[in-house]
Amino acid sequence: MVKADLADTFVKPVPLYAKVKQAIIEKIYTGEWKPHDRVPSEAELVKQFNCSRMTANRALRELTAEGFLFRLQGVGSFVSEPKGQSALFEIHSIADEITSRDHRHNCKVLKLSEVNANMTQAAEFNIAIDTPIYHSIIVHYENDVPVQIEDRYVNAQAAPEYLRQDFSRQTAHDYLSQVAPLTEGEHIVEAVAGDARSCRLLQIEENTPCLLISRRTWSKEYIVSSAKLLFPGHRYKLKGHFSS
């Protein structure tokens, strides 16, 4: 388990522009501000946060660059339309999916550590910036062929023993399902081009089309996990089942 040193136990000062950004991101994540809603102007942010015009401008400029907002010259800033998403009706362990095909599952744990939540992660988990959370990166294999990169952040309050687990024996999904049973989940599905590192781990050529599933899960009042699951596009397909 990676332990924070003594200096990390004290709250680090957060720049004012970052606080402005977090406040806007939280309103977007909670749905208070919906796509195409106009967000406060620089002048309105200056008054609300008692900050400089330069601080407000930087917050809006960075949120636009990160895709949260779009700006219309002479009109203002607006909440961006989210990328296309698809509801998946069931959440399964990838190990179970693989064994159900009578294939062999194994995985490699590339990272398992404690980190301090940045602004985006704090908004995703509805926690304060710099709150300790857990981070794991795991590559899953089907018959020794890599089929998924699992990049997961976990709420330490919901799963305090997460870093002590051997995820080569039990998947993170299965462990979290035991200690923080799923009560709610959301998926965002995107088609992306794999970057150099991801393609190397998946043993595919750079810029090969991939499927990215961004998943958040809840257990009662806790947001337990935020994971990005990357699959080679030609090795994976989505299947949903529903009834009327």
Side-chain angles (χ1 to χ4, degrees), residues 36-42 60 64 69-80:
H36 302 289
D37 280 355
R38 182 184 176 279
V39 304
S41 66
E42 289 182 11
L60 293 175
T64 300
L69 306 176
F70 67 93
R71 306 185 78 171
L72 297 179
Q73 188 68 33
V75 180
S77 298
F78 300 83
V79 178
S80 294

Side-chain angles (χ1 to χ4, degrees), residues 5-12 130:
D5 57 31
L6 184 59
D8 288 334
T9 62
F10 297 96
V11 178
K12 299 176 182 178
D130 284 336

Side-chain angles (χ1 to χ4, degrees), residues 115-133:
V115 299
N116 292 328
N118 62 24
M119 180 176 52
T120 300
Q121 293 154 0
E124 286 185 334
F125 283 97
N126 194 26
I127 57 178
I129 293 175
D130 284 336
T131 299
I133 57 176

Side-chain angles (χ1 to χ4, degrees), residues 21-22 65 78 102 108 115 137 159 166 175-176 188 198-199 232:
K21 287 179 65 177
Q22 185 187 19
F78 300 83
D102 293 325
K108 291 182 180 178
V115 299
I137 301 177
D166 181 357
Y175 172 71
L176 292 173
I188 299 175
S198 297
C199 289

Side-chain angles (χ1 to χ4, degrees), residues 77-127:
S77 298
F78 300 83
V79 178
S80 294
E81 185 76 31
K83 294 182 178 179
Q85 60 184 28
S86 172
L88 304 182
F89 304 107
E90 298 175 351
I91 297 178
H92 295 292
S93 164
I94 189 170
D96 292 341
E97 292 181 3
I98 291 171
T99 56
S100 71
R101 296 190 284 268
D102 293 325
H103 290 175
R104 184 179 70 259
H105 167 266
N106 65 292
C107 67
K108 291 182 180 178
V109 179
L110 304 184
K111 183 173 184 177
L112 188 59
S113 64
E114 180 180 293
V115 299
N116 292 328
N118 62 24
M119 180 176 52
T120 300
Q121 293 154 0
E124 286 185 334
F125 283 97
N126 194 26
I127 57 178

Side-chain angles (χ1 to χ4, degrees), residues 95 105-107 109 165-172 174:
H105 167 266
N106 65 292
C107 67
V109 179
Q165 306 311 305
D166 181 357
F167 293 123
S168 65
R169 294 180 175 271
Q170 181 186 39
T171 66
D174 286 342

Side-chain angles (χ1 to χ4, degrees), residues 4-73:
D5 57 31
L6 184 59
D8 288 334
T9 62
F10 297 96
V11 178
K12 299 176 182 178
V14 179
L16 187 51
Y17 81 88
K19 292 182 179 179
V20 177
K21 287 179 65 177
Q22 185 187 19
I24 294 173
I25 290 172
E26 286 177 348
K27 289 183 181 294
I28 294 172
Y29 270 117
T30 60
E32 182 176 344
W33 290 353
K34 296 178 171 52
H36 302 289
D37 280 355
R38 182 184 176 279
V39 304
S41 66
E42 289 182 11
E44 290 168 330
L45 291 174
V46 167
K47 183 176 181 180
Q48 180 179 347
F49 290 93
N50 192 28
C51 64
S52 69
R53 190 86 178 222
M54 184 179 299
T55 295
N57 177 271
R58 178 173 179 178
L60 293 175
R61 181 162 33 88
E62 291 191 5
L63 288 170
T64 300
E66 293 164 9
F68 290 100
L69 306 176
F70 67 93
R71 306 185 78 171
L72 297 179
Q73 188 68 33

